[in-house]
Amino acid sequence: MRSLTILGATGSIGQSTIDLIARDPGRWRIEALTGGRNVALLARDARRLGARIAVCADPAGLGDLRAALAGSGIEAAAGPAALAEAAARPADIAVSAIVGAAGLVPGLAVLERGGTLALANKETLVCAGPLVMARAQATGGRILPVDSEHSAIFQALAGEDVAGVERVIITASGGALRDWPFERLATATVADASAHPNWSMGQRITIDSASMFNKALEVIEAREFFGLDPRQIEVLVHPQSVVHALVGFRDGALMAHVGPADMRHAIGYALHWPERRALPVARLDLAAVGSLTFSTPDPVRWPALALARAVMAAGGTMGAVFNAAKEVALDAFLAGRIAFTAMSVVVERTLDRMLPEAGPQGAAMTLDLVMGTDHLARIRAGEIIDRME
Ligand code: NDP
């Protein structure tokens, strides 16, 4: 039996992980489950799976969590510190499925104890890639990618030498607004941007798919995880979401990872790695898919991709600025304060404002530096939004 912790158990990736666990009785012992605000779901799953501890990030939820777990023998805790402590408890593998920069500290806590981190939370590497990779190396901790594109690259690289990689190609569906006339994008509502054509995901990543910020984060994530030069990472729009990523080798060969749009494949691959076990995902009927198409992303429609390139060129803690500004801009869009197309404007202006403070500093990256930069970038992005209204 292997022990498992799920950080962000109440979200889309967390629930897909639980679906896999529930179908595989007797294989897993659950150490910790964590959630944000959805205390009822957290408590239900903690009871169902017999977790040792359940933690909600929101301190206000502790009373309800305790009440819901009364008599179960399951420990209850709340707040960001309790979340990091839960991540630090020994477990064979921890899935990081928290959304946003809030995933960084718990993910690092797993690596600090030399643990294995199945990483869906791309923000961890975007905000602090050099720090996270260095800590993993120092402690013997291991990161296994769960983001589907990165899992696809990881699988295409099995048995290969990374030095033989010429390029990787990450595909993007183009999101909910892909076929909208460009002039209409500014009028897109939250509901419009939340209707993903292929993937069922949390609302934030779904809107990030429509704005291409999700792909922008993934380009940075790929650079940090695989240690690639940014020029080696390409993005193609692929509306069918069947090819998740391709790896090009120096002999000209291109290895593609092909599969249905079901995150349980990438999650299951990480959970069982290095074994390949049977997974309950649909088998692809390529004849039914018929044709696969690819195109170069339009830089005017999707400015987020060029912003990611600027962030990688600048280095320093600009990744943390990029993510923080994007999170604040997304909150403002969700609240109806700014237009869909204004999100990239907010991020660009925040990057410009923060470059002198967050650009290359020469100093080694520390968690305090990243957290301080994240905090300041959120203030700056908020000021920029205030001025736009
Ligand atoms: P969801 O919004 O569905 O779930 C997010 C999870 O994080 C929930 O458990 C939520 O708790 C919890 N949470 C929210 N805020 C905090 C906080 N401040 N502190 C601690 N926990 C918090 O997100 P997804 O599952 O869609 O995405 C999770 C991560 O995986 C993201 O980084 C995303 O980019 C990445 N990812 C997701 C994919 C997908 O298919 N969904 C695909 C590839 C990557 P609660 O709901 O209880 O408030």
Side-chain angles (χ1 to χ4, degrees):
M1 202 178 242
R2 300 179 74 213
S3 53
L4 174 71
T5 284
I6 308 175
L7 307 165
T10 49
S12 165
I13 293 284
Q15 289 293 299
S16 292
T17 308
I18 288 174
D19 177 79
L20 289 175
I21 301 309
R23 290 165 187 263
D24 205 359
R27 184 166 178 81
W28 298 97
R29 180 186 68 68
I30 304 303
E31 180 65 30
L33 291 187
T34 82
R37 295 203 170 134
N38 193 343
V39 169
L41 183 59
L42 178 64
R44 187 203 74 178
D45 284 337
R47 277 181 178 275
R48 183 158 74 104
L49 301 174
R52 292 195 171 163
I53 183 168
V55 183
C56 57
D58 181 7
L62 184 57
D64 286 347
L65 184 60
R66 281 206 176 115
L69 293 175
S72 67
I74 301 168
E75 251 180 88
L83 213 123
E85 280 166 28
R89 291 165 73 121
D92 291 320
I93 184 161
V95 176
S96 172
I98 292 171
V99 66
L104 172 60
V105 170
L108 264 178
V110 173
L111 296 173
E112 288 297 347
R113 64 169 165 79
T116 296
L117 184 66
L119 186 65
N121 177 268
K122 59 197 80 185
E123 296 88 345
T124 296
L125 287 173
V126 172
C127 295
L131 170 68
V132 170
M133 298 308 285
R135 292 314 298 153
Q137 196 165 23
T139 63
R142 183 190 296 281
I143 305 175
L144 297 170
V146 170
D147 219 346
S148 58
E149 297 76 3
H150 304 72
S151 174
I153 297 167
F154 189 68
Q155 293 182 50
L157 282 174
E160 302 282 354
D161 182 356
V162 181
V165 173
E166 215 167 48
R167 59 179 177 151
V168 301
I169 302 171
I170 295 176
T171 59
S173 69
L177 309 176
R178 183 190 61 224
D179 299 324
W180 278 40
F182 176 70
E183 311 72 50
R184 273 191 64 208
L185 285 181
T187 67
T189 64
V190 169
D192 293 330
S194 300
H196 199 287
N198 306 335
W199 293 92
S200 159
M201 308 186 286
Q203 187 183 39
R204 298 183 74 89
I205 183 176
T206 302
I207 297 174
D208 285 349
S209 295
S211 63
M212 211 50 104
F213 269 111
N214 180 48
K215 214 47 55 180
L217 297 175
E218 286 175 7
V219 169
I220 302 174
E221 181 187 12
R223 167 190 165 70
E224 299 297 344
F225 185 76
F226 297 104
L228 298 167
D229 185 291
R231 286 168 302 189
Q232 291 176 289
I233 309 170
E234 301 169 22
V235 175
L236 286 179
V237 177
H238 168 48
Q240 297 83 16
S241 296
V242 166
V243 177
H244 303 307
L246 304 98
V247 179
F249 294 93
R250 60 182 163 205
D251 62 355
L254 205 48
M255 304 292 284
H257 184 284
V258 179
D262 184 341
M263 283 307 296
R264 293 177 308 167
H265 170 77
I267 297 167
Y269 183 78
L271 287 180
H272 300 302
W273 184 88
E275 251 186 275
R276 260 191 206 278
R277 288 171 62 91
L279 293 173
V281 295
R283 273 37 179 178
L284 197 62
D285 179 350
L286 277 172
V289 174
S291 59
L292 301 177
T293 57
F294 301 90
S295 60
T296 306
D298 175 351
V300 178
R301 176 181 278 273
W302 291 303
L305 292 172
L307 294 177
R309 302 247 171 233
V311 165
M312 291 187 288
T317 48
M318 288 296 275
V321 174
F322 185 58
N323 179 67
K326 191 280 296 175
E327 287 192 28
V328 172
L330 176 56
D331 287 337
F333 173 64
L334 285 167
R337 293 181 64 198
I338 61 172
F340 178 78
T341 43
M343 288 192 285
S344 60
V345 177
V346 171
V347 174
E348 183 171 14
R349 290 186 188 164
T350 311
L351 290 172
D352 288 347
R353 281 276 311 268
M354 293 286 294
L355 186 60
E357 291 147 286
Q361 298 115 355
M365 188 180 269
T366 62
L367 183 57
D368 282 350
L369 183 63
V370 172
M371 301 297 276
T373 305
D374 172 275
H375 180 70
L376 192 57
R378 284 172 199 270
I379 293 171
R380 296 283 176 264
E383 290 166 355
I384 288 163
I385 290 167
D386 288 344
R387 278 201 298 275
M388 284 172 120
E389 284 178 318

